[in-house]
Amino acid sequence: MTTSRTSYVPPHLRNRPPSADPAPISHSGAAVGNGYLGYGGAPSAGFRSVGHRDGQIGGGGGAWNNRSNGWDRGMAREANPFGDDVDTDPGFGALENTGINFDAYDDIPVETSGINVPPPVNTFAEIDLGEALNLNIRRCKYTKPTPVQRYAIPISIGGRDLMACAQTGSGKTAAFCFPIISGIMKGGQSAASPARSPRIACPLALILAPTRELSIQIHEEAKKFAYQTGVRVVVAYGGAPVNMQLRELERGVHILVATPGRLVDLLERARVSLQMIRYLALDEADRMLDMGFEPQIRRIVQQMDMPPPGIRQTLLFSATFPKEIQRLATDFLSSYVFLAVGRVGSSTDLILQRVEYVHETDKRSHLMDLLHAQRASGDQGKQTLTLVFVETKKGADSLEHWLCFNGFPATTIHGDRTQQEREYALRSFKSGKTPILVATDVAARGLDIPHVAHVVNFDLPNDIDDYVHRIGRTGRAGKTGLATAFFNENNSSMAKPLAELMQEANQEVPAWLSHFAAQSSYGGRNRGGAGGRFGGRDFRRDPSANRGGMDMYGVGQMNGGYGGATNVASAWD
DNA sequence: AAAAAAG
């Protein structure tokens, strides 16, 4: 059980100040006795009962965590996700600047609604997240919480369900990971219903994401937050060999990050049980609940063995949240708080949005012009990454070939490529080896790719929310970004919402686009996700939305929920 | 109609 591995903290040194910590990070004053009932720096001692043997079934907790061998080996082996050299570790550098420009945060509009909303905090120290997690927060160089974190963390710590609208890059992942990790540490191991077999993994938290790459990214980030907390994070997604993922699950899992398809597969194989779930988080929640995903999500959340709303805690996050989707989401929530954080940087100051009228047949040559101009003006040596969005997978392949043929190193990511190719393409793009990435909407949401200077909407999406997500891939890390859209007759349905969005973001709207917008009979008003200064608005506050939804809503809320407009802050009015 | 997500 004992080992000389430097990352292992022997039991007698646990709960000790930093001298016991092998990580090459200078830190001071790690307090002892932080209220975690024996957790401190390496809380594994608090999780398992001592003296169990390998493979022993039954007892106090989920099947795996009685197996002290597996557990301690896991602890000993836990790789330092921060790397030994901060300066040369790209992963760390990326996390260090998750698009957080604190100077831009002072006048960010924030709105909450719901009953008894826990008040926001101004510092991480105000919340008792635990010493191990606090140390990781310092390692991440998060000095103070972002707006979404200031509000979402106390709400989650307070045990409330949450529907949060906040731009990706505003610290969303941490906003739902911190409370989950902290809650798992505090709660210790529930003694309830052990699994039937040690081969069934029983995670306490489930984080679902709409793409494989996003689930990978969340997993990487969550591992940093959970480092040496004793909380194990495992990822499961399709397109990759299942055996490795199964082995990881067998070694124990507190937090499972997954895409829906692979999770359903694992549930059907009875390799995962959701009976112990205490936290459910949906990232890009509006996408997860839209037509393509809804049946799978309902299956996972409502038709397996997951505890119902009110028993588990549910956290929904997205940059956009259309009203129809909000209404759907109430099925998964109990007396929830709605939180909207104004767009930070992304579609306001930091991203310069341009729309150019380009005929379908001229798109390639026009893109070429842009790339030539960019190449001419750009600082040589500095990598300027360009992300080009197209509508179809075939279109992505053909544009990639054409760009390469014309001397622009490009690669592509879309759902017809193998997972290996997808991950290679993303790495190749991030590293600057192929500074142009042609992508379908698989790359539109959530991916944090530093140094993307230019997002080109070669084909505009049909949904303004998708546009918001796409351009959000640039203007990150406090840097400015450029978003260029090619517009023509085929996109006339987008004219109005696009013009309105750009106007709200104080962007210059070309006269011809306004003309298109005026002609267009399509709506674009109050599309829920895109309207106003916020990333969204609580549909419970919309009279027209409530007319149909109120009954269902009133019944669905266990604590009475939102009882009309009378007892709620009126900042909206 | 398209994209994503299981094999």
Side-chain angles (χ1 to χ4, degrees):
Chain A
M1 205 59 51
T2 51
T3 166
S4 60
R5 291 285 284 269
T6 51
S7 60
Y8 176 73
V9 181
H12 68 286
L13 291 179
R14 291 171 191 170
N15 279 328
R16 282 291 196 85
S19 57
D21 190 318
I25 310 280
S26 72
H27 51 285
S28 59
V32 182
N34 50 25
Y36 276 105
L37 304 173
Y39 274 20
S44 69
F47 269 97
R48 58 182 179 83
S49 325
V50 180
H52 287 261
R53 286 287 168 260
D54 291 354
Q56 194 166 341
I57 305 172
W64 59 269
N65 56 305
N66 298 321
R67 301 159 63 219
S68 54
N69 186 15
W71 174 258
D72 278 2
R73 268 209 313 243
M75 288 297 289
R77 269 193 214 145
E78 183 175 15
N80 181 348
F82 298 99
D84 283 334
D85 188 341
V86 165
D87 293 327
T88 58
D89 178 35
F92 184 83
L95 188 69
E96 191 176 337
N97 292 309
T98 41
I100 295 161
N101 175 12
F102 284 99
D103 294 337
Y105 275 3
D106 289 340
D107 57 350
I108 301 262
V110 176
E111 199 51 66
T112 56
S113 53
I115 299 295
N116 297 327
V117 179
V121 293
N122 289 307
T123 63
F124 288 120
E126 287 174 56
I127 320 160
D128 183 22
L129 290 169
E131 188 51 40
L133 184 48
N134 281 336
L135 182 54
N136 292 330
I137 292 172
R138 286 199 295 276
R139 283 167 173 150
C140 290
K141 298 196 166 51
Y142 291 176
T143 49
K144 63 178 186 180
T146 67
V148 65
Q149 292 163 0
R150 290 183 52 224
Y151 284 79
I153 294 174
I155 291 168
S156 310
I157 294 275
R160 299 292 297 277
D161 281 4
L162 176 64
M163 179 188 290
C165 293
Q167 191 75 37
T168 319
S170 61
K172 268 189 319 138
T173 311
F176 59 76
C177 282
F178 290 178
I180 291 174
I181 293 168
S182 170
I184 289 174
M185 292 168 69
K186 279 182 192 158
Q189 189 54 55
S190 159
S193 52
R196 296 165 295 276
S197 151
R199 285 167 68 84
I200 303 183
C202 297
L204 305 178
L206 176 64
I207 300 172
L208 291 171
T211 67
R212 297 163 183 173
E213 286 75 16
L214 185 54
S215 70
I216 293 169
Q217 178 181 298
I218 294 168
H219 174 239
E220 284 169 357
E221 207 160 346
K223 267 194 305 190
K224 292 176 182 171
F225 303 148
Y227 181 54
Q228 290 186 341
T229 60
V231 174
R232 241 179 83 79
V233 191
V234 174
V235 68
Y237 55 90
V242 78
N243 284 337
M244 180 81 115
Q245 293 173 6
L246 286 173
R247 271 203 300 279
E248 286 297 315
L249 287 168
E250 279 182 36
R251 290 177 57 199
V253 52
H254 294 101
I255 302 176
L256 176 59
V257 185
T259 50
R262 176 56 60 91
L263 177 61
V264 168
D265 185 26
L266 296 171
L267 290 166
E268 281 173 351
R269 296 185 195 209
R271 302 302 294 268
V272 171
S273 162
L274 302 177
Q275 64 183 340
M276 304 286 281
I277 290 293
R278 301 213 301 260
Y279 305 91
L280 168 67
L282 303 191
D283 202 4
E284 308 297 340
D286 59 337
R287 165 65 82 235
M288 301 304 281
L289 297 175
D290 80 5
M291 288 200 330
F293 274 117
E294 189 198 344
Q296 272 178 306
I297 300 302
R298 286 198 184 276
R299 178 125 185 259
I300 292 166
V301 177
Q302 298 178 314
Q303 293 160 24
M304 306 301 292
D305 53 351
M306 191 188 297
I311 305 298
R312 65 158 199 265
Q313 202 178 336
T314 307
L315 311 168
L316 309 182
F317 281 76
S318 182
T320 54
F321 236 125
K323 286 191 187 62
E324 321 84 76
I325 306 285
Q326 288 190 36
R327 191 178 293 112
L328 267 182
T330 59
D331 290 354
F332 302 92
L333 296 164
S334 169
S335 183
Y336 66 98
V337 175
F338 180 92
L339 168 65
V341 179
R343 298 211 183 92
V344 181
S346 280
S347 55
T348 53
D349 305 329
L350 294 178
I351 300 180
L352 178 62
Q353 297 178 58
R354 280 200 194 129
V355 192
E356 293 171 352
Y357 192 91
V358 185
H359 284 292
E360 207 59 42
T361 48
D362 298 337
K363 280 184 174 179
R364 284 186 174 184
S365 60
H366 195 78
L367 176 62
M368 186 68 84
D369 292 345
L370 290 182
L371 293 173
H372 273 300
Q374 200 166 292
R375 184 181 270 179
S377 69
D379 311 280
Q380 297 301 327
K382 281 190 182 175
Q383 49 183 3
T384 40
L385 303 185
T386 303
L387 182 50
V388 183
F389 281 105
V390 297
E391 195 61 25
T392 66
K393 293 177 279 197
K394 278 178 70 177
D397 279 333
S398 98
L399 183 58
E400 179 223 359
H401 289 131
W402 186 83
L403 285 168
C404 291
F405 181 76
N406 285 280
F408 287 95
T411 184
T412 182
I413 184 167
H414 61 69
D416 272 355
R417 305 200 80 194
T418 67
Q419 191 55 30
Q420 224 175 6
E421 289 171 329
R422 285 166 58 158
E423 286 173 36
Y424 181 79
L426 203 51
R427 274 200 305 274
S428 174
F429 180 58
K430 281 183 175 178
S431 73
K433 189 176 155 202
T434 48
I436 301 170
L437 179 65
V438 183
T440 60
D441 269 330
V442 71
R445 284 172 173 258
L447 292 189
D448 191 41
I449 310 169
H451 312 301
V452 174
H454 195 179
V455 168
V456 179
N457 274 290
F458 189 89
D459 302 318
L460 270 168
N462 294 313
D463 187 325
I464 191 66
D465 286 351
D466 291 333
Y467 174 85
V468 171
H469 285 277
R470 285 179 177 188
I471 67 172
R473 294 318 101 214
T474 187
R476 303 175 77 87
K479 297 191 180 67
T480 56
L482 174 64
T484 305
F486 295 174
F487 183 100
N488 61 39
E489 294 82 1
N490 298 337
N491 312 114
S492 50
S493 69
M494 284 290 289
K496 194 168 181 178
L498 184 57
E500 286 177 357
L501 183 84
M502 290 177 68
Q503 201 148 28
E504 283 162 15
N506 294 316
Q507 303 286 316
E508 196 179 322
V509 181
W512 59 262
L513 183 62
S514 304
H515 185 66
F516 257 101
Q519 280 190 328
S520 167
S521 59
Y522 294 93
R525 278 184 45 75
N526 288 336
R527 272 283 289 98
R533 299 175 302 159
F534 296 92
R537 171 183 173 141
D538 191 347
F539 89 108
R540 292 176 295 184
R541 312 195 73 149
D542 184 337
S544 68
N546 271 348
R547 218 172 286 138
M550 204 56 190
D551 285 350
M552 173 198 73
Y553 174 77
V555 170
Q557 297 301 310
M558 303 190 69
N559 289 332
Y562 181 84
T566 48
N567 51 355
V568 175
S570 57
W572 283 106
D573 304 325

